[in-house]
Amino acid sequence: MVEMVREIRSQVRIPIAVKISPFYSSLPHFTKQLEDAGADAIVVFNRFFEPDIDVENLEVISQMRLSDSRELLLRLRWLSILSGFLSRAQLAVTGGVHTPLDAVKAVMCGASAVQLVASLLRNGTSHLNKMRAEMQRWLVEHEYESLEAMRGSMNILHAPSPSVYSRANYMRVLQTWETE
C-alpha cells in the first residue's frame, strides 16, 4: 500500500486520502509510512461487512448492518494516538459518528473530517443541519472559537491522562470491573 501511494503521488497532484483498517500490527508506523509516501489524509477505519451464520438453517447470512455510536470508541483511541504522531497528514473518521457529540469527540481526538453515511441513511440529509447547529451550540457553550481550536485537544499529546490510550492501560481497566 505504501508503494501504491508513492506511485500515485508521483502521477497526480490532487490530495490523496487512504482509508485503512485497524488490522495492522503497528498503526503509527504504518500511517507514518503512508504520510511519508505522499498521503495527505488517513481515514480511520474501513468498515468490513461481516457475514453471520444461521445455525438452524445452515446458511450464511449476508445482511447490511449500519454502524452505531459504539463503533466510534476504537476510532477515538486511534485518532488520539495518530493525531499526536503524524506531522502533516490529516485524519478523517468513518464509522460510529451519529450524533453531534460523536463528531465533537472525533474532532477533539484529532479528526479533520467525519463521515456520516449510516447516520444520513437513517435520518436523511436534513440531519446535517441538525448536526451543524448542535455542534455550533456546543462550541459556544464550551467557549471554543472554532473547530480548529478544539481539534486534537484530547489527543495523546494533550489529554489530561495520555496513558489511557496505551495498551498498558488495559490492566487498569480490567481492575475496574465489578460484578453485580
Side-chain angles (χ1 to χ4, degrees):
M1 190 178 291
V2 172
E3 277 306 310
M4 187 183 328
V5 169
R6 190 172 283 115
E7 179 63 25
I8 292 169
R9 174 50 61 216
S10 74
Q11 302 295 318
V12 301
R13 296 290 161 235
I14 61 174
I16 299 171
V18 180
K19 186 184 277 189
I20 62 171
S21 79
F23 305 119
Y24 290 93
S25 58
S26 176
L27 277 172
H29 177 73
F30 178 59
T31 55
K32 184 65 174 154
Q33 286 183 312
L34 291 171
E35 180 183 59
D36 291 345
D40 298 290
I42 308 295
V43 183
V44 178
F45 289 119
N46 191 23
R47 189 167 178 270
F48 298 101
F49 294 101
E50 301 161 323
D52 196 359
I53 304 293
D54 179 338
V55 296
E56 297 301 325
N57 296 309
L58 300 177
E59 294 178 352
V60 177
I61 303 167
S62 181
Q63 183 178 10
M64 175 71 161
R65 185 185 60 80
L66 297 177
S67 72
D68 60 43
S69 294
R70 291 174 294 194
E71 288 188 32
L72 185 59
L73 299 179
L74 174 68
R75 289 146 175 87
L76 292 178
R77 177 176 185 260
W78 283 108
L79 284 169
S80 297
I81 292 168
L82 296 176
S83 71
F85 188 77
L86 298 174
S87 57
R88 181 188 52 77
Q90 294 185 339
L91 294 165
V93 63
T94 182
V97 179
H98 290 267
T99 69
L101 285 181
D102 292 340
V104 165
K105 290 175 187 180
V107 172
M108 286 181 132
C109 290
S112 295
V114 298
Q115 296 180 3
L116 305 167
V117 176
S119 181
L120 294 177
L121 287 173
R122 278 194 181 106
N123 303 301
T125 56
S126 63
H127 187 61
L128 289 171
N129 292 329
K130 177 183 174 187
M131 291 282 292
R132 183 175 182 185
E134 288 188 30
M135 285 182 72
Q136 285 177 324
R137 183 185 52 74
W138 192 94
L139 287 168
V140 169
E141 284 178 10
H142 292 85
E143 300 179 1
Y144 283 100
E145 292 183 21
S146 66
L147 284 174
E148 189 57 40
M150 184 178 66
R151 187 177 339 282
S153 62
M154 290 298 290
N155 76 9
I156 198 164
L157 300 177
H158 301 104
S161 302
S163 65
V164 300
Y165 295 123
S166 74
R167 174 90 169 113
N169 190 54
Y170 178 69
M171 293 306 290
R172 286 188 291 269
V173 171
L174 285 178
Q175 292 170 357
T176 67
W177 175 257
E178 294 178 13
T179 58
E180 297 181 65

